[in-house]
Amino acid sequence: MMLEPSQVRRVLCALDVDRMGSASLSMASLLAERFHASVDALYATPAVPQFGGRAAHVERLMNEHNAQERLTGMLAAVKGGVCVSPFVTRGDATTVI
């Protein structure tokens, strides 16, 4: 079955921000460029218990902020006219994605 360019609007790309230079991001960008689509880059931060108090809450916020910064840095390497949107979410990657 061949996909028509109009059938693909978004490409989901799950990333690990701790591993710079992701081949999956390169492939997602190529697919998006081919189909005139956008890329949704997703990273799931490890879940932190909600009942940990203020220190745990601050730690979770800092981890999410740092992940967002690393993800934005990875996406800066995407060339061409591909629109890439970063998303950081919480939870186990296999469940969230």
Side-chain angles (χ1 to χ4, degrees):
M1 175 179 156
M2 291 290 287
L3 290 174
E4 297 294 323
S6 62
Q7 291 177 304
V8 179
R9 294 187 185 138
R10 296 167 52 198
V11 177
L12 176 63
C13 181
L15 296 168
D16 183 350
V17 296
D18 295 325
R19 295 182 183 177
M20 298 303 277
S22 175
S24 60
L25 181 57
S26 297
M27 183 57 69
S29 299
L30 288 171
L31 285 170
E33 186 174 19
R34 164 67 177 94
F35 289 103
H36 306 288
S38 63
V39 175
D40 290 345
L42 176 68
Y43 174 70
T45 62
V48 176
Q50 295 290 334
F51 54 85
R54 289 184 184 171
H57 178 70
V58 169
E59 180 182 3
R60 185 175 68 243
L61 291 174
M62 288 176 57
N63 287 340
E64 290 173 7
H65 173 77
N66 292 340
Q68 184 73 40
E69 291 293 315
R70 290 191 306 264
L71 183 57
T72 301
M74 288 176 77
L75 301 183
V78 175
K79 295 182 174 48
V82 177
C83 176
V84 184
S85 301
F87 295 96
V88 175
T89 188
R90 278 184 227 137
D92 179 57
T94 57
T95 304
V96 177
I97 298 169

